[in-house]
Amino acid sequence: MTAIIENVRERVGASAGTLKNFIGGKWVDAHATETLPVFNPATEDVLAHVPLSGPEDVADAVRAARAAFTDWSEVPVPERVRYLYDLRSALLDDREQLIRQVATENGKIYSDAAGEYRRGVEVVEFAIGMPTLMAGYNVETVSRGIDTMMERYPLGVTAAITPFNFPFMVPLWTLPIAIAAGNSYILKPSERTPLTAQKIMEICKQVGIPDGVVNLVHGASDAVTSICEDRDVDAVSFVGSARVARIVYELCGRNGKRVQALGGAKNHIIVMPDAVVEPSVANLSESAFGNAGQRCLAGSVMTVVGEAKDKVLPRVVERAEEIKLGFGLDEGTDMGPVIRPDARERIHKYVEQGLDEGAHMLRDGRAKVPEKGFFVGPTVIEIEPESVLAREELFGPVLSVLHADDIDEAIRYLNETNEYGNASSIFTSSGRAAREFRRRTPAGMIGINVGVAAPVAFFPFSGHRNSFFGDLHVTGRDGVEFFTRKKTTTTRWF
Ligand code: NAD
């Protein structure tokens, strides 16, 4: 632990412990003077302080990104992706450090951080295909002597605003695709997990990505507003809560920017009576309690259909009892803390409200947690469909349980209890039930006997309803479309 803190201090400057922005290839102090502490949420140690950058800092970054854009967009695309080969190699070299950094500032356990790391690197690998991915198409002789072709061009200055729960993977959902397509890029990471972003920028510099092509501005809402209002930012990719996603989407719309805004989630899992018990229980438990429930793909409501109640539910509760809480880098830890005390309080508040409404506690995670750290234990609670626990995103290790007589009733709950549509899963041995579920679920990411249905990098990561505002999703072909603009040329030679 001490080594990690020392390491961070060394990088941010021992005296101040305040992080710097990375603009135009240089580490610079933010103009803003206000800072927030960055914690290890498992130990409450302060790792660094993050500056709350404002309009001046964002303007500096946009200027640097605009200045870099012209030359960068002229670099041939096969040459641009050579930087990504080097980026991938450097990320592999620093694998251990990156995983430990994620676990330390986010609180997730080593294996979860390793999974996140792998998913982030996969996007770099995907973007290495950019010479093919951004190819256009043409039709000759669309009219007599006339040919038409479509080409994709970079947009210009692009920005990404990211959440705390995947400090490595979510920035990498966009950075490699944006720059391989010829854009310059500004990252505004979560103020609660900014240290991994520092490391990503260091690696970009180390592999020689030209100055100003990637930039980092720390901060919170002021920095975000400045990015969304800056006339010289062409596109904004946002990932975070539904409330802020809507704000960013509307603000970018008013300012004429291309935007994709991924929001929160309230994911349902249906367990059919014919589910294969043991692997399903392991998957359900991982979905609800992995990353302390702080995944946008976390299973939050489990509807047990018919006799699945007796077969599966007691096993899920037993497993919840077995989960060992602690610092994610300590041997034997199964689950880390939530990110901050206010997250813990929000979760407790909703659980209490659910109990007041008549919910029935099966496993109470509020008790028996380590004294230090922002812990909430795995919680399993039986609810009615009208409960606040079926409606609101808790973003913590709470699995609310509904009972249904058949798949129709379970799908109705999934459609009607809340307004999100990120992910949903079914556990069953019946192809017919799975098909029915796939067609009728309102979610964008669907799991069939998969509790965390995270698409790999060459597919779109796609929510619906209040989980997504925009048209083009992140990663896959959508990611390439998002970071390029199309031109169609119609040609005639006399
Ligand atoms: P958040 O919305 O609080 O913060 C996300 C980003 O927005 C941060 O960079 C933050 O600095 C900025 N921000 C916060 N408040 C703002 C405001 N008022 N105005 C402008 N900017 C503001 O989200 P979080 O707590 O960091 O992350 C957790 C949330 O993200 C959950 O709701 C989770 O479901 C969601 N999430 C969604 C996906 C997805 O793919 N749909 C992926 C990961 C996380």
Side-chain angles (χ1 to χ4, degrees), residues 359-400:
H360 172 225
M361 186 63 85
L362 295 175
R363 204 274 165 187
D364 194 344
R366 292 170 301 170
K368 289 195 286 184
V369 295
E371 239 167 66
K372 267 216 150 173
F374 314 135
F375 286 94
V376 180
T379 300
V380 186
I381 185 165
E382 277 178 311
I383 60 165
E384 294 296 325
E386 301 73 33
S387 170
V388 68
L389 295 172
R391 203 168 54 243
E392 299 292 340
E393 179 180 44
L394 272 69
F395 220 53
V398 178
L399 183 63
S400 302

Side-chain angles (χ1 to χ4, degrees), residues 162-165 188 191-192 238-241 262-264 296 393 461:
T162 56
F164 78 83
N165 63 330
K188 204 303 285 170
E191 65 279 19
R192 289 179 284 183
F238 172 88
V239 183
S241 60
L262 284 71
C296 67
E393 179 180 44
F461 199 99

